[in-house]
Amino acid sequence: MTTPASSLLDRAASAPAMPSIESAASERVRAYSARAARAGTQPSSQVAAALAQLARLQAGLLSHTSLQAAAIQLVSDLAQEFGCERVSLGLLQGARLRLKALSHGGASEFQGSAARELEAAMDEALDQDAAITIPEADDAIPRIVFAHGPLLARGIVAVATLPLRAHGAPLGAMTLEWRHAPLRMAADLAQLEHQLALLAPTLALLVRSELPLRARLKARVAGAWRHSPARRRVVVLGAAALVL
């Protein structure tokens, strides 16, 4: 007996529903707090300050419903929190990274050589799947930093580019620039890497929420495939044929 097309889609969508942005973010903050408390490697005042900072960043990110506005809010808050001259966010669109947001809503640098320089620096970090910092710490693993040279030529004395990952997949990268070297650069960046690991899935949910319906259905079918036992994959394949 032939299964109706609507039933195929319903079954493919029966995988666990994607959590809301707010609930997913809250769960990550609670998990971060629990890990920090269990580790007990930092004075409680430092843990409290890091958690308060994470809460501020998360609140700013969730104060907007559109990806663009949320991204600008995040990079602007990071620039203020870490004393940066500029913070930039790039997100992957397919296989290519595109500059998405500049701190304080700057728009004039989204095109031309300035945008290409930022995207090249982010690509450099993504290609190596590693954070790039200039100046490097004494014990740091040497990295290729050629694409970061043009940023320094603009009067920047310190720069860091951190890859972003969500659900095990590359999402984009964040570049922070300083005109005056921060006193606690290594410690601040170590803390920021942990915080971005918690914030990136929220960004990923915002990215997915703005995908066209067809792309969201494809992502949902892919998720159903990953979570389905072998006997149900024929149903998912039928749904995929309809979506594609």
Side-chain angles (χ1 to χ4, degrees):
M1 184 175 64
T2 304
T3 303
S6 59
S7 177
L8 288 174
L9 284 175
D10 289 343
R11 290 190 192 180
S14 64
M18 184 177 68
S20 70
I21 292 173
E22 291 82 357
S23 64
S26 297
E27 180 59 33
R28 285 191 292 275
V29 171
R30 285 194 295 272
Y32 179 82
S33 177
R35 284 197 301 272
R38 287 196 301 270
T41 56
Q42 292 179 297
S44 58
S45 59
Q46 291 185 28
V47 172
L51 289 173
Q53 185 179 63
L54 175 61
R56 288 193 298 272
L57 294 171
Q58 190 78 71
L61 188 60
L62 294 173
S63 65
H64 301 278
T65 56
S66 74
L67 172 62
Q68 184 70 49
I72 292 174
Q73 182 72 57
L74 177 60
V75 293
S76 298
D77 288 346
L78 285 171
Q80 181 175 348
E81 294 281 352
F82 291 93
C84 301
E85 175 72 14
R86 179 174 64 180
V87 178
S88 311
L89 171 66
L91 295 174
L92 287 170
Q93 296 181 2
R96 182 167 183 180
L97 182 138
R98 294 285 192 180
L99 187 62
K100 185 65 178 178
L102 298 170
S103 52
H104 310 301
S108 61
E109 295 157 316
F110 268 84
Q111 299 179 3
S113 61
R116 289 193 296 271
E117 288 168 3
L118 284 167
E119 290 172 347
M122 293 175 185
D123 279 330
E124 193 168 63
L126 283 172
D127 289 344
Q128 298 174 76
D129 193 22
I132 292 177
T133 61
I134 302 173
E136 295 179 333
D138 294 337
D139 58 349
I141 298 173
R143 303 290 182 192
I144 298 170
V145 298
F146 178 79
H148 285 71
L151 302 182
L152 298 173
R154 294 179 179 272
I156 297 299
V157 301
V159 61
T161 299
L162 308 177
L164 301 176
R165 299 182 69 84
H167 311 297
L171 177 66
M174 188 89 68
T175 295
L176 300 91
E177 302 167 79
W178 292 269
R179 286 200 181 275
H180 305 284
L183 297 177
R184 301 177 63 253
M185 184 172 179
D188 285 347
L189 289 176
Q191 177 175 302
L192 179 58
E193 283 193 86
H194 287 297
Q195 292 172 334
L196 289 179
L198 297 167
L199 295 168
T202 304
L203 273 175
L205 288 172
L206 285 166
V207 170
R208 182 180 295 185
S209 72
E210 295 196 354
L211 289 175
L213 178 60
R214 181 186 178 89
R216 277 183 282 153
L217 284 172
K218 289 173 66 176
R220 192 64 180 274
V221 168
W225 175 270
R226 288 194 299 271
H227 292 95
S228 295
R231 65 179 180 275
R232 290 187 58 201
R233 290 190 171 183
V234 65
V235 176
V236 178
L237 280 174
L242 291 174
V243 172
L244 298 174

